[in-house]
Structures are given as structure tokens and as C-alpha cells.
Amino acid sequence: GRIKFGAQGWSKRYAFNDGDLTICEQVLCNYLNNAERLGTEVPWPDLRYIFGEIMYGGHITDPWDRRVCTAYLETLIVPELLNNMTMVPGVKSPDASKMDFLHYQKFIEERFPIEQPQLFGLHPNAEIGFLTNQGMEIFKTVQNVSGADIGVGIGGSDISACSTIITSYLDRLPSELDMAEIRGRLKDEDYTPYVITSLQESDRMNLLLQEIRSTLVALELGIGGQLNVTEGMERLSESLQLNRVDESWQLLAYSSLKSLAEWFLDLRSRVEQLAAWTESRTLLKSIWISGLF
């Protein structure tokens, strides 16, 4: 459906699910059957209200998003839907007087167009993000499968294969910022909002650096037989070999979709900025805003 192309047009992603669709389908079926049995008109406004304000609308919290939902319903849930209405360019709804349920099902399976952004009123470029994410998932799957059958162990991989990688990252890992020394140089009047921000960022960065260093050292000791190998070590070894940021690091780090190699270079740049910021004790002439947590 539309969700495959992202949340374009909506201010946030909502938890719409198959259950909402199923209930709306049952409600629609009941209303259509009752209208036919009683010989009355289908109450389209009632259907739009139930779908847009109760079922799907129950998830929506933003008034502008509710307007988007309402616009879709006012366009599609109308009497003309049962009589060759043009739903999207090149696609008309079947004539209900000439088709039964099985014919409708066959029409949807055989003649309904392939899902594309234009069907949902989106720009064709909306498909770029979907295809990019799909490609990334495919390559990630291939990478995981290709590295899943080497050696043995808890996770099925040979942790000793990442020894050189551990050494490389430990050699290049920056030292933690000396917060005691930094705070010792500050006077009471130095605690401006900019300085306080630099201290908070430095504290969080130190937690991340400590986690990275301790887990890498622990894995190195596990490879050497000095510590028992745990599942966490196995996961870290697999992440290092697949050039992926470990889960334990992500919990303390900033949001990023980069691979481990690029992420580590980014980490070093962030530490350099914090070091310069805490050294100057004033706002830098240029701040890398997205380099903050």
C-alpha cells in the first residue's frame, strides 16, 4: 500500500494495520448488504465518518493528518465508486451492476495496476526512497548470509577473525575527555548555556567511548582465552566483520545509518569538536550542529 513509499504527506508515521482494514471491510460489507436488503441508498457519509474518524482516525493525532485522511475518503468513498469512477489516471472502478464478488476479486488480481506513487497522488520521486531502502536491505541480507557460515561458536562465526579489526579500532579510538580537568578550569561565570551544552555532550561522548573501549578489550581478551566468550562478544565480532555498528554502541550513540568504518570516522570528528569546544570554554566560530547527540 501507500506506506511502502514512506510517510510523505503525513506529519508522522501512524500504526495503521491490517486489523483496521479488516474491520473497515466488515463494516462496509454490512452497510452494503443492509442497503440492498432494505432497498435504500448506501450511507456514504456514515462510512466516511466511521473510516476517517473512528477506525483509521482513531490513530491520528495531528489535525493536518486528519485532513489528509479525510481528503482521501471524500475522493474515493463516494457513490460513483460503483459505476466506472476514475480512481487514478488510466484506472476505472468496475460497474457493480455487471460484476459479482468473484469478478471483483479477479479484476483486482489481474487488472489492477502495479503499486506506484502516482496511484496514491504522490510524486514519482517518492519511489526513490523505497527502492533505495529495498536495495540496502537486499545487500544487508546478502552480507549477513555470506558471513554466517564461517567457523563455529554461539553465533556461528569465528571471533578470532576480527583480531586485526579490534587492534585497528583500539589504536585509533580517541581518549576520553578529562571532565575533572575541564570543569576545574571553569569559573562560576563561565557556565553559560553554550559551555553547559559542551559539558553535557562531552559526558555522553565519554560514556560512548568507554563502552566502545571496554567491549573491544573484552572481546580481545575473549579471543585470547582470558575471558569466557559471551553472546555479546559474538555479536560484536559479527558486527565488526560485517562493518556494522554494534547494538551496545548504538544504545549510547547518536542516530546514524552509516557503516561502521564511516561511523568511526564521524565519531573521531565529533570528539575533535568537543575537545576544541571545551578547550576554548566559549562558543566556537563554527559549530557542527548535527555533530551533537
Side-chain angles (χ1 to χ4, degrees):
R2 185 183 191 276
I3 192 64
K4 69 188 289 185
F5 301 114
Q8 291 94 339
W10 302 81
S11 64
K12 60 184 293 187
R13 184 183 292 271
Y14 292 100
F16 301 141
N17 53 58
D18 292 339
D20 299 319
L21 180 61
T22 301
I23 298 299
C24 288
E25 177 188 358
Q26 294 174 353
V27 171
L28 176 61
C29 181
N30 292 336
Y31 270 73
L32 292 176
N33 290 337
N34 288 336
E36 182 180 19
R37 180 170 54 85
L38 299 175
T40 60
E41 294 291 330
V42 177
W44 298 100
D46 293 356
L47 288 172
R48 289 195 292 268
Y49 181 84
I50 293 173
F51 297 164
E53 300 295 334
I54 299 176
M55 301 311 303
Y56 284 95
H59 297 284
I60 299 175
T61 57
D62 186 89
W64 291 103
D65 290 340
R66 190 175 299 278
R67 182 176 177 180
V68 171
C69 181
T70 301
Y72 271 108
L73 293 172
E74 290 178 348
T75 302
L76 297 174
I77 309 300
V78 292
E80 293 78 10
L81 182 64
L82 302 178
N83 188 21
N84 289 332
M85 184 186 82
T86 300
M87 296 185 291
V88 294
V91 180
K92 290 187 176 182
S93 61
D95 188 347
S97 62
K98 301 178 182 178
M99 302 183 72
D100 57 14
F101 177 78
L102 293 178
H103 285 94
Y104 263 106
Q105 190 176 37
K106 185 176 181 181
F107 175 87
I108 294 173
E109 293 175 352
E110 297 180 359
R111 299 180 56 187
F112 213 70
I114 299 175
E115 290 182 346
Q116 52 186 342
Q118 293 88 331
L119 291 178
F120 306 99
L122 301 174
H123 192 277
N125 286 348
E127 195 169 18
I128 294 177
F130 164 70
L131 294 176
T132 300
N133 292 333
Q134 188 180 53
M136 291 175 63
E137 287 298 322
I138 292 174
F139 283 120
K140 186 183 295 184
T141 301
V142 172
Q143 190 179 39
N144 289 338
V145 171
S146 64
D149 58 352
I150 52 175
V152 293
I154 298 175
S157 62
D158 182 10
I159 64 171
S160 62
C162 65
S163 297
T164 56
I165 304 176
I166 296 173
T167 302
S168 173
Y169 281 120
L170 283 176
D171 290 342
R172 292 182 292 140
L173 185 65
S175 301
E176 290 96 19
L177 297 162
D178 190 345
M179 300 308 299
E181 191 272 335
I182 292 172
R183 287 189 167 90
R185 289 189 281 107
L186 294 174
K187 302 176 182 178
D188 291 341
E189 58 270 19
D190 291 333
Y191 282 90
T192 63
Y194 303 112
V195 172
I196 293 174
T197 299
S198 69
L199 296 177
Q200 292 174 339
E201 291 290 318
S202 299
D203 286 332
R204 293 191 63 178
M205 181 58 72
N206 277 349
L207 291 176
L208 176 57
L209 293 175
Q210 291 166 7
E211 176 67 16
I212 295 174
R213 194 182 310 278
S214 63
T215 52
L216 288 176
V217 170
L219 178 57
E220 192 173 41
L221 294 175
I223 294 173
Q226 297 169 271
L227 289 177
N228 293 328
V229 176
T230 63
E231 292 186 13
M233 293 181 186
E234 288 279 356
R235 286 194 298 268
L236 176 57
S237 172
E238 181 182 359
S239 297
L240 292 174
Q241 295 180 61
L242 296 177
N243 195 26
R244 188 174 59 201
V245 181
D246 187 63
E247 293 179 3
S248 64
W249 302 357
Q250 291 179 8
L251 293 175
L252 297 174
Y254 36 85
S255 299
S256 177
L257 297 177
K258 295 181 178 180
S259 63
L260 177 58
E262 295 176 338
W263 182 88
F264 193 81
L265 293 175
D266 186 77
L267 173 73
R268 290 172 55 90
S269 298
R270 292 168 184 259
V271 174
E272 290 174 2
Q273 173 175 263
L274 289 175
W277 199 353
T278 53
E279 179 67 26
S280 66
R281 289 176 290 176
T282 58
L283 182 63
L284 299 177
K285 294 182 179 179
S286 177
I287 292 291
W288 179 22
I289 296 295
S290 58
L292 305 181
F293 280 88

